[in-house]
Amino acid sequence: MSRRELFTLFGALMLTMLLASLDQTIVGTALPTIVGDLHGMDDYTWVVTAYLIATTASTPLYGKMSDLYGRRPIILAAIVIFLVASALAGLSQDMLQLVLFRGLQGLGAGGLMTLAFTVVSDVLPPRERGKYQGFFGAVFALSSVAGPVLGGWLAEVDWRWIFYINLPLGLVALIAVNQVLRRHTIPTRQHQIDYLGAATLVPAVVCLLLATTWGGQSYAWTSGVILGLFSASATLIVLFIFIETRAEEPILPLRMFRQGTFSLASVIALIFGIAMFSGIIYIPLFFQMVRGYTPTNSGLLMLPMMGGMVIMSVSSGFMISRVGRYKWFLVAGSTITTIGLILFTQLHLDTPLWLSAIYMLVLGSGMGMFMQPLVLAMQNIVKIEDLGAGTSTNNFARSLGGAIGTAVLGAVMNTKLDDELAADLPGAVAQLTPEQTAGFTQADLANVMESPTVVQHLPEPVKEVVQQSFTNGLDLVFTVAASIAAVSIILTLLLPNLELRGAIAEEQQRHDDPDTDAIRIKSDTSP
């Protein structure tokens, strides 16, 4: 592949990655406007949940399908599904239609995220991938900040353009990917689709995500619904593993997990997903609920985090390509991420913005240093015929961790918030003057989580209690997230310091002769 073709392909892949990651964040700030227009408050959370579940559940399927049928037809299919769903979501006339089309969008997005990394791995050896895949981390950082800002602005213009904007960008990516990959394709092989594996994996993931999403919110953790979902998920996972041991072409080849590095990296990806999404989701909540900023402004305040992620993602990628090893970047990234989360436990009502910016810069730098080396670690260890499945496993584990972490940490915060309000709110209400009492109702508190602006209009004694309760709840969230992130430090220290393979020819030789693995992958025995 010529340099021009490589840059064209890489630009198109970055665009597809932007589309998928942007849609995870752009809808949130516009949801109140959308709900008001479509009159569907009861289905409020499902607009986000449907997308997240579909994305997570479909990711492993795309990786394996691309290994069997080739990257080009599968990534083109994912783009088309995403664009069709975007158009339909923009045309939605009620909340049911929007939720269904958001789920369809998620099915396409699951392929966009994982196949972007996989296609790069086809055209570049592991040692060269770092400096290119680092830009993917920059795209993710950009979307985490640009999404809320853009979503808030488009909501004021016409919320339907949140979905329509994907169409011209997606068409450019579709044409570019098709033109370049049509001339450079990996050979397909004889295949037999693992229908039984897909039929058990997808519902297992859906049941797990529903249990963690509904638990502590719609249903008690000990309710029959939640326990039933967890039981169904566990049963389906056991059945899935049994099926995969006997499938001719398993969706998730279990042989990959015989490599200790791959198994360990998968666990690290799951843990890191919890820590990463806690920062992306709950920091804006602090700015909106406690400090009173609008969703758009809270997105702009996240720029230091984005800057840290972009700088460290790109620079660490270049450094890894130069050094040829990734372990100590993972150790440093997980350590800095943990420190960043610990710093956020120190947030208070009067914390200066400049100090918050430093905290975000530290956290963003850690996440940027961590994300791409982990993908490289997993790609470096798998055989070439499992490259798609191996890459998708990383994205699947990280997305699953993010989904579970968001739900569980949300339950932690809500429990703390309820306890704080129950203890302190009666005293604050007792301080209200008759005029303040007349303008204050319990309905105002019930609407706090749905509209941050409600907090700013509460009577002053009640407002202070609510803001302090949110601060204490978020402190607990970041404490739990930091504790989880600290586990990733220990796990990354256990990773072997493998050398990245340096040429495509080496990968092909590993495919032809698996016994050469011990020779081609050199392990540094130094500490």
Side-chain angles (χ1 to χ4, degrees):
M1 184 171 291
S2 67
R3 182 172 293 273
R4 179 179 179 180
E5 288 176 324
L6 180 61
F7 287 163
T8 300
L9 175 63
F10 191 72
L13 293 176
M14 288 180 66
L15 192 54
T16 62
M17 187 78 174
L18 178 64
L19 291 174
S21 57
L22 194 63
D23 256 58
Q24 288 184 330
T25 58
I26 195 173
V27 174
T29 50
L31 266 181
T33 303
I34 296 173
V35 169
D37 190 25
L38 298 181
H39 309 290
M41 181 59 71
D42 292 340
D43 299 319
Y44 183 92
T45 58
W46 277 105
V47 177
V48 176
T49 304
Y51 183 89
L52 185 61
I53 289 177
T55 301
T56 305
S58 63
T59 296
L61 305 182
Y62 277 108
K64 186 60 182 181
M65 293 290 282
S66 71
D67 284 338
L68 296 177
Y69 294 102
R71 315 294 184 220
R72 177 172 166 265
I74 303 302
I75 193 172
L76 293 181
I79 295 174
V80 169
I81 292 172
F82 185 83
L83 293 182
V84 170
S86 296
L88 292 174
L91 295 171
S92 298
Q93 299 302 306
D94 55 49
M95 286 295 286
L96 177 60
Q97 292 180 11
L98 182 59
V99 169
L100 292 175
F101 296 143
R102 281 286 288 169
L104 186 61
Q105 256 193 319
L107 289 178
L112 299 184
M113 289 186 174
T114 190
L115 292 177
F117 286 101
T118 308
V119 170
V120 169
S121 69
D122 287 330
V123 298
L124 291 170
R127 184 150 184 167
E128 295 298 313
R129 288 175 203 160
K131 57 187 178 184
Y132 287 91
Q133 289 185 351
F135 287 98
F136 286 147
V139 169
F140 188 86
L142 175 64
S143 66
S144 67
V145 175
V149 176
L150 187 60
W153 178 70
L154 289 176
E156 297 174 4
V157 179
D158 183 354
W159 65 263
R160 297 181 186 274
W161 277 98
I162 288 175
F163 305 105
Y164 293 152
I165 197 174
N166 293 329
L167 302 180
L169 299 177
L171 286 174
V172 172
L174 184 71
I175 294 171
V177 170
N178 179 60
Q179 290 299 316
V180 176
L181 290 188
R182 185 169 59 182
R183 295 188 295 272
H184 301 277
T185 59
I186 64 171
T188 58
R189 63 180 190 270
Q190 294 296 321
H191 51 77
Q192 182 175 344
I193 300 175
D194 181 16
Y195 292 109
L196 283 177
T200 52
L201 176 62
V202 172
V205 174
V206 170
C207 287
L208 179 60
L209 293 180
L210 287 177
T212 54
T213 301
W214 287 344
Q217 305 289 329
S218 303
Y219 304 93
W221 286 106
T222 56
S223 66
V225 173
I226 301 302
L227 294 178
L229 286 170
F230 276 126
S231 299
S233 178
T235 302
L236 288 168
I237 289 173
V238 172
L239 182 59
F240 172 74
I241 294 174
F242 176 79
I243 292 171
E244 296 303 275
T245 59
R246 286 158 176 76
E248 183 175 338
E249 287 288 351
I251 290 176
L252 195 63
L254 298 182
R255 59 178 175 269
M256 296 189 301
F257 294 94
R258 295 173 189 154
Q259 294 277 4
T261 299
F262 186 88
S263 299
L264 189 56
S266 300
V267 176
I268 294 172
L270 181 72
I271 293 173
F272 182 72
I274 298 175
M276 180 178 69
F277 281 93
S278 69
I280 293 174
I281 291 176
Y282 291 105
I283 292 174
L285 189 62
F286 171 81
F287 286 128
Q288 294 178 43
M289 294 294 189
V290 178
R291 302 301 295 268
Y293 292 103
T294 64
T296 301
N297 288 336
S298 69
L300 291 173
L301 289 171
M302 296 282 286
L303 284 174
M305 179 179 288
M306 184 194 75
M309 289 180 69
V310 170
I311 293 172
M312 293 310 301
S313 180
V314 175
S315 60
S316 64
F318 276 91
M319 286 188 286
I320 288 173
S321 293
R322 180 181 294 273
V323 175
R325 298 177 188 273
Y326 54 80
K327 172 179 176 174
W328 295 109
F329 292 90
L330 288 171
V331 174
S334 57
T335 302
I336 296 172
T337 298
T338 303
I339 293 173
L341 291 170
I342 292 173
L343 290 174
F344 272 101
T345 64
Q346 305 303 308
L347 287 178
H348 303 292
L349 291 173
D350 56 352
T351 300
L353 285 180
W354 65 265
L355 189 57
S356 301
I358 293 176
Y359 293 170
M360 285 187 286
L361 181 63
V362 173
L363 182 59
S365 298
M367 292 192 293
M369 187 180 292
F370 191 93
M371 290 174 62
Q372 307 319 312
L374 191 60
V375 179
L376 287 174
M378 299 180 76
Q379 289 180 338
N380 190 59
I381 203 67
V382 299
K383 295 179 172 58
I384 194 170
E385 67 267 25
D386 294 328
L387 200 50
T391 304
S392 67
T393 300
N394 172 78
N395 292 335
F396 171 72
R398 188 175 62 193
S399 297
L400 186 62
I404 295 173
T406 300
V408 173
L409 291 175
V412 168
M413 191 195 73
N414 289 336
T415 300
K416 180 67 172 178
L417 181 62
D418 291 342
D419 292 343
E420 293 273 335
L421 291 177
D424 300 333
L425 195 58
V429 173
Q431 300 176 29
L432 298 181
T433 64
E435 293 79 8
Q436 290 175 322
T437 304
F440 170 70
T441 64
Q442 291 297 320
D444 293 328
L445 288 178
N447 293 328
V448 162
M449 289 299 294
E450 297 176 0
S451 178
T453 56
V454 172
V455 178
Q456 305 309 312
H457 294 91
L458 292 173
E460 195 60 34
V462 176
K463 175 183 174 182
E464 290 180 3
V465 168
V466 171
Q467 288 178 323
Q468 188 60 53
S469 297
F470 267 106
T471 301
N472 295 339
L474 290 171
D475 283 349
L476 180 58
V477 165
F478 289 121
T479 299
V480 174
S483 301
I484 295 172
V487 176
S488 66
I489 301 176
I490 300 172
L491 296 180
T492 52
L493 285 170
L494 296 176
L495 284 171
N497 195 16
L498 300 180
E499 182 180 358
L500 292 171
R501 299 189 299 274
I504 290 290
E506 292 185 13
E507 294 212 33
Q508 186 60 48
Q509 183 171 349
R510 294 178 68 243
H511 171 59
D512 297 334
D513 183 10
D515 290 336
T516 61
D517 284 359
I519 300 175
R520 298 295 176 183
I521 305 178
K522 303 174 184 177
S523 177
D524 182 4
T525 57
S526 62

